[in-house]
Amino acid sequence: MINPKLKTMGEQFGRRSWAEPWKIKMVEPIRMTSREERQEGMEQAGYNTFLLRSEDVYIDLLTDSGTGAMSDRQWAGIMLGDEAYAGSRNFYHLEEAVQSYYGYRYVVPTHQGRGAEHLMSRALIKPGHYIPGNMYFTTTRVHQEIAGGTFVDVIIDEAHDPANLHPFKGNVDLDKLDELIKGVGPENIPYISLAGTVNMAGGQPVSMANVRALRGLCDRYGVRIYLDATRMVENAFFIQEREEGYGDKSIAAILIEFCSFTNGAWMSAKKDNLVNIGGWLAVNDSDLFDMLRNMVVVYEGLHTYGGMAGRDMEALAIGITEAVNDDHVRSRIEQVRYLGDLLTNWDIPIVKPVGGHAIFLDAKSIYSHIPQDHFPAQTLAAELYLDSGIRGMERGIVSAGRDPKTGDHRYPALELTRLAIPRRVYTQAHMDVTAESVKAVYDAREQMRGMKMVYEPKYLRFFQARFEHIT
Ligand code: F0G
């Protein structure tokens, strides 16, 4: 029976409803577990969601990386793999797709994003260099540090405030950057590390006006800009939605214009590009290309496969063309927002505005009684799993790691638990179930104490650290 008093979702949120521009052709069964099973699983995993077995997870929101569903066209592409060691036909398809949609001249394939980050950092960074960026990302910064560089955060202050509604919280603060360049000298800055969107800030975008102005500033000093293009398609959507003069432009047109202000990019193709594995680097400078193409054979594989199978490159080339489809990007971001709207209706604190790929729960505010070095966001991720089998991840003090100089924890302003939404995988009903579980955990917030870390690996500790409840 339809209850006439119940408004449609679209009406409740003041707009018409949207629906995914695809239908489901194949399904993968998932299973709900009992509270006892989850308790046992969590103990075995040391209260770290990265150490759970995926079979024990009901709705997996650990990451949007490599977890998307490929289309029937991409699967058809898998059958067309040319598995030649050298000169695979699929590489040339990939090269052409990157050149036409991102606009860079030279392309180097890598096994995933951090393979590309490694090559780029090693090629350009010398000990003593500074690498300014719009907030750190875990793997990006660790490669910059291993190469001898120091990352410097030059994002606008608004990005560090989860409640601030600035439409482009990923923007670079040009005054902070100018001050740094003057202070250390442009010769000590190999490049600006620019990410669109900014993962650790909540999937927040950079505006076209900001990248244009950044180009102007960098040209004055002769400093290069390299783009982490991992979620740049989602960034283009926010420009289309929010920036004057871009409402009528396609995602593809915005993407290529944005990239034109940068000297090159590295990519984790496991996100925007809709594949389960893969990455690439692309640059305009032929000398740098020569160096990267030479290094890739040492660390990843020959320069025409870079660690991917031919079939992977074919699926990736097709994924690039699907990724820029306006209807696809809109439905992907609207799904994330739908979950954000449900939580906001219950006054559960999340990072706002809702970004491109995930909901970030504000664990610092939810568990305001737990000190940051008792890991509130880690605790929240564990509680959510215990409640319903939903898996998210910590994006706070554990992810931030230790300062390599002092050895102390870094204390980021943002202490967040991320619920990342895989592309083309879950339905609106999964989002409803997720929201209700977050609400149950939120309602029990006062009973929670924090945790202590009982095992800590040296690099990227969040992946493998182990915890115990504080009693
Ligand atoms: N850059 C950004 C902005 C990322 O989000 C990631 C990965 C990488 C680079 C590294 O790429 O995983 O292919 O080696 N982010 C994943 C995440 C792990 O869950 O956010 P990769």
Side-chain angles (χ1 to χ4, degrees), residues 63 112-114 117 137 139 199 228 230-231 268 271 418:
T63 176
Q112 61 178 70
R114 72 199 73 174
E117 290 171 336
F137 184 69
T139 57
N199 191 351
D228 182 336
T230 297
R231 297 185 185 82
S268 170
K271 283 83 162 176
R418 186 182 77 172

Side-chain angles (χ1 to χ4, degrees), residues 6-15 342 345:
L6 277 184
K7 289 181 176 173
T8 64
M9 280 298 168
E11 281 172 327
Q12 280 180 36
F13 298 135
R15 53 170 164 72
L342 292 175
N345 282 350

Side-chain angles (χ1 to χ4, degrees), residues 219-396:
D219 282 347
R220 287 219 310 276
Y221 292 107
V223 172
R224 288 170 290 193
I225 305 170
Y226 287 107
L227 177 68
D228 182 336
T230 297
R231 297 185 185 82
M232 194 52 227
V233 166
E234 290 170 7
N235 196 112
F237 172 82
F238 291 113
I239 292 175
Q240 187 186 58
E241 181 183 65
R242 299 177 186 169
E243 200 162 348
E244 176 94 41
Y246 289 92
D248 295 335
K249 298 215 162 113
S250 66
I251 295 288
I254 296 170
L255 177 66
I256 206 157
E257 181 180 336
F258 194 102
C259 292
S260 74
F261 293 112
T262 67
N263 301 82
W266 66 87
M267 181 73 185
S268 170
K270 302 168 73 173
K271 283 83 162 176
D272 267 1
N273 287 172
L274 298 166
V275 284
N276 303 122
I277 192 71
W280 46 263
L281 264 174
V283 297
N284 291 331
D285 173 336
S286 63
D287 290 341
L288 177 60
F289 171 61
D290 281 345
M291 197 192 306
L292 293 166
R293 192 168 63 156
N294 190 211
M295 284 167 61
V296 77
V297 304
V298 180
Y299 296 105
E300 301 278 313
L302 195 74
H303 57 275
T304 56
Y305 74 85
M308 283 181 281
R311 54 182 172 268
D312 298 333
M313 292 190 284
E314 191 62 28
L316 170 49
I318 298 168
I320 290 173
T321 67
E322 293 181 1
V324 296
N325 176 289
D326 287 67
D327 291 336
H328 156 68
V329 190
R330 170 166 304 277
S331 84
R332 189 269 183 296
I333 291 180
E334 291 286 4
Q335 185 179 41
V336 177
R337 263 185 209 163
Y338 173 82
L339 175 58
D341 287 341
L342 292 175
L343 299 175
T344 301
N345 282 350
W346 288 323
D347 292 327
I348 297 171
I350 60 173
V351 173
K352 289 195 196 127
V354 169
H357 65 298
I359 294 299
F360 289 72
L361 305 170
D362 184 359
K364 204 182 241 181
S365 158
I366 294 170
Y367 290 147
S368 56
H369 56 291
I370 301 181
Q372 197 169 9
D373 56 4
H374 291 175
F375 312 115
Q378 190 78 34
T379 308
L380 185 58
E383 282 307 299
L384 201 58
Y385 175 75
L386 290 172
D387 179 72
S388 58
I390 291 170
R391 168 156 77 167
M393 79 156 79
E394 196 264 8
R395 292 277 80 155

Side-chain angles (χ1 to χ4, degrees), residues 137-150:
F137 184 69
T138 53
T139 57
T140 317
R141 182 173 65 189
V142 87
H143 282 296
Q144 293 166 350
E145 287 173 348
I146 289 170
T150 303

